[in-house]
Amino acid sequence: MKIKGVVLPEREERVLRVDGEVLRVAGDDGGELVADGVWLLPGLVDVHTHPGTVNPGDEFDEAVFRRHMIEHRDAGVLLVRSPGSADRETGRERDETDLPRLRSGGRWLATPGRFFAGYGRDIGEDELVAAAVEEAGTSSGWCKIIGDWSPGQPAVPVDVLTAAVEAVHAVGGRVAVHAQTAEGSRNAVLAGADSLEHGMHLDHGLLPRMAEQGTALVPTFTPFAKIVDKLDGAPAEFREWLLAGWEGLPATVRAAHAAGVVVLAGTDTTPCGAVAGEIDWLIRAGLPAEVAVGAGSWTAREWLGLPGLEDGAPADVVAYEADPVADPSVLTRPSRIILRGRLVR
Ligand SMILES: [Zn+2]
């Protein structure tokens, strides 16, 4: 099997030949040409999704996990990172042949008063370092720390968070930190987290440091967009805090990109397979279209350690009938999907 088109982001026309589970850009085995004249991405990527549960508090459900992953796959999302899962069987191999590649972060690490009670792994602050190392060791190398929760409540102290990040880095792991208060976002950056999830109320003065140490920003517009106009019954203080964070997010994303911070696309909520919508939010926030598409494709893939559409790369390819940078709406309509060398569509 082979596929011919313009490869992004290089904008080079290539014939990609599928050789088992890898791509070849040279040679011709006479295999079937499944598409020609198309635009080619190494698949979409959703770096913040929680396959296996729908609502906070749900038990992890194997059938739901499969359904979510198939929703991703059929939308052209061929790689996902799950920063926090309700799956209690840590270390279970979930990189299944017919499903998108999964980078899991083990269970959410929740210290007292932060996160939905009982949904994550509830631990004391004094247990965070050991638990973070353990989750990173039994997942795909990531762990997820709930760095703050409610407005006006203290975030995980910066010394505790720093010790956890250093310990996980020492064993070769990476740390994602949930933060949506100014204090939580600051602590995540000062601790040297690998990714700041949400990042609302982030002090823009911290962006150069994020760029320098390689802390990516995953703003997740998708979940907030679903709740910002449903806050009428919420306490005024909470509502104002959330709306201020939401209204500040586009400027934070623009400033982050301008400062050299890697911004990535994550959807957080269901339905899965909706990362094209998050890419659209990034564009509406003011990111150049090419940067926004990369945030949900090649940039995210590289950030997770996988190459683009080059010789020897894993055979993950998604084809579109139009240039997704010129017309991002085409991202919801993949014409061909190849995952691990198998034609899905
Ligand atoms: Zn999340």
Side-chain angles (χ1 to χ4, degrees):
M1 171 171 59
K2 56 198 177 187
I3 190 161
K4 182 180 176 189
V6 175
V7 167
L8 294 177
E10 295 87 350
R11 298 200 163 270
E12 266 178 34
E13 183 158 284
R14 288 179 195 159
V15 178
L16 301 174
R17 184 163 60 81
V18 175
D19 178 10
E21 293 198 17
V22 300
L23 290 175
R24 296 293 170 206
V25 296
D28 189 346
D29 57 6
E32 184 196 358
L33 183 67
V34 296
D36 190 357
V38 289
W39 279 259
L40 300 170
L41 296 183
L44 297 179
V45 182
D46 190 334
V47 303
H48 192 138
T49 177
H50 305 288
T53 45
V54 176
N55 296 306
D58 286 356
E59 287 290 322
F60 183 86
D61 185 310
E62 199 69 41
V64 172
F65 172 81
R66 276 198 68 81
R67 172 163 60 81
H68 284 162
M69 291 294 270
I70 287 169
E71 285 171 356
H72 277 306
R73 183 197 69 192
D74 291 351
V77 180
L78 304 186
L79 171 64
V80 303
R81 184 189 60 151
S82 175
S85 168
D87 187 0
R88 287 163 192 274
E89 285 188 47
T90 52
R92 178 157 41 173
E93 179 57 61
R94 293 204 164 274
D95 212 11
E96 294 169 39
T97 307
D98 62 333
L99 302 181
R101 297 174 199 275
L102 174 65
R103 298 291 179 266
S104 69
R107 293 170 67 192
W108 296 275
L109 293 168
T111 46
R114 306 183 184 104
F115 209 40
F116 308 100
Y119 191 33
R121 176 174 169 185
D122 291 318
I123 48 167
E125 285 180 2
D126 60 337
E127 298 171 294
L128 182 61
V129 170
V133 168
E134 192 182 349
E135 294 296 330
T138 53
S139 70
S140 310
W142 282 91
C143 71
K144 169 72 174 293
I145 297 172
I146 305 299
D148 64 10
W149 197 238
S150 304
Q153 298 298 314
V156 175
V158 69
D159 57 333
V160 175
L161 203 53
T162 302
V165 171
E166 286 177 353
V168 171
H169 285 175
V171 297
R174 296 166 91 186
V175 182
V177 177
H178 162 107
Q180 53 190 13
T181 66
E183 185 196 8
S185 293
R186 181 178 67 242
N187 289 0
V189 175
L190 296 181
D194 298 280
S195 66
L196 172 57
E197 310 297 317
H198 318 304
M200 288 171 124
H201 302 279
L202 172 68
D203 175 358
H204 292 190
L206 293 163
L207 292 169
R209 178 159 177 166
M210 287 177 71
E212 191 188 325
Q213 68 193 17
T215 302
L217 174 65
V218 186
T220 67
F221 284 91
T222 303
F224 295 116
K226 289 177 183 167
I227 56 173
V228 285
D229 50 7
K230 297 192 185 82
L231 292 171
D232 286 348
E237 193 187 341
F238 176 83
R239 184 171 173 274
E240 280 162 28
W241 166 77
L242 193 68
L243 285 178
W246 166 253
E247 283 160 11
L249 210 47
T252 297
V253 163
R254 289 193 298 276
H257 174 61
V261 174
V262 172
V263 178
L264 298 171
T267 60
D268 207 0
T269 53
T270 55
C272 291
V275 80
E278 182 69 18
I279 292 170
D280 186 50
W281 276 112
L282 294 175
I283 293 170
R284 287 154 71 179
L287 284 193
E290 181 161 18
V291 174
V293 176
S297 182
W298 60 83
T299 305
R301 205 168 157 94
E302 184 185 0
W303 186 73
L304 288 170
L306 289 175
L309 296 174
E310 59 191 49
D311 195 71
D316 296 348
V317 187
V318 178
Y320 300 94
E321 297 294 324
D323 176 354
V325 172
D327 176 13
S329 73
V330 80
L331 290 171
T332 60
R333 302 185 300 277
S335 63
R336 288 290 192 191
I337 299 171
I338 298 170
L339 171 62
R340 301 174 207 260
R342 294 172 179 81
L343 190 64
V344 174
R345 174 178 303 164

